[in-house]
Amino acid sequence: MFFKKSKREKNIFIHSPLKCEVIPLESVPDPVFSQKMMGEGLAFIPTRGEVFSPINGKVTQVFPTKHAIGMVTEDGLEMLLHLGLETVELKGDGFNININAGDIVSVNDHIGTFDLSYIEEKGKEIISVLVFPNFEEKIAEMIPIKPDEVESGTRIAQLILK
């Protein structure tokens, strides 16, 4: 008996990596993100510092300062989760990330924490972003699903693959 090769999925659902309010990327007070220089994406105002995987995929990079995590889906969609703004300057203080490059993650896997109070005490923004650097190459359309206050793991966007 022959098995039919499974049909490739034509869309990817993005789940909230945080308990947060989802906001438009354009409203982020950092032009690198708001002007989409790093790619299309979503932004968050976190209400809790627990961080979860937004996708099923592979970790490609955890920055030494723990403030940013790179991932890629099976379809090759790259994403960067950036926790807070200008938080690279904290040199890892306030961040505890429990994954490493090469790890395989599933939606809503707990991947770490960041201390919202500490970040604010240090004069940094807690606003966080999830951007897709190769969006133009891989994605035909992004459809927001839940643009309000959400729990981590909630579907927040559907990406239609090219």
Side-chain angles (χ1 to χ4, degrees):
M1 176 178 242
F2 294 97
F3 291 95
K4 222 178 186 181
K5 200 172 183 182
S6 66
K7 194 175 175 186
R8 196 169 145 169
E9 195 63 39
K10 281 298 190 191
N11 56 55
I12 297 171
F13 288 99
I14 303 300
H15 298 76
S16 182
L18 305 162
K19 179 176 178 165
C20 62
E21 178 184 350
V22 181
I23 61 172
L25 193 60
E26 295 83 7
S27 58
V28 173
D30 182 329
V32 171
F33 295 115
S34 64
Q35 294 176 18
K36 302 180 182 179
M37 293 178 204
M38 297 285 295
E40 181 63 77
L42 302 155
F44 315 99
I45 300 172
T47 55
R48 193 169 52 214
E50 300 284 324
V51 186
F52 299 86
S53 178
I55 52 114
N56 295 323
K58 184 176 184 176
V59 178
T60 56
Q61 182 176 17
V62 176
F63 284 65
T65 51
K66 309 287 187 187
H67 77 289
I69 302 158
M71 298 179 183
V72 65
T73 66
E74 187 177 272
D75 295 297
L77 176 66
E78 299 168 359
M79 61 193 67
L80 175 71
L81 177 60
H82 195 283
L83 303 170
L85 300 177
E86 298 180 12
T87 48
V88 66
E89 296 169 8
L90 299 176
K91 299 180 176 153
D93 292 343
F95 295 88
N96 183 17
I97 303 301
N98 308 321
I99 55 173
N100 298 296
D103 289 352
I104 303 299
V105 292
S106 297
V107 166
N108 216 26
D109 281 354
H110 187 264
I111 60 175
T113 61
F114 66 126
D115 188 331
L116 302 179
S117 297
Y118 179 81
I119 290 168
E120 289 180 319
E121 284 169 18
K122 295 298 181 182
K124 306 299 178 197
E125 287 280 349
I126 60 170
I127 292 173
S128 299
V129 297
L130 180 66
V131 292
F132 310 101
N134 65 345
F135 186 92
E136 297 292 324
E137 171 190 333
K138 294 283 185 184
I139 302 300
E141 182 181 7
M142 180 169 78
I143 304 166
I145 295 174
K146 187 88 172 97
D148 214 350
E149 296 217 8
V150 296
E151 293 290 328
S152 58
T154 303
R155 283 185 177 180
I156 54 173
Q158 179 180 3
L159 303 178
I160 309 299
L161 295 172
K162 286 186 176 179

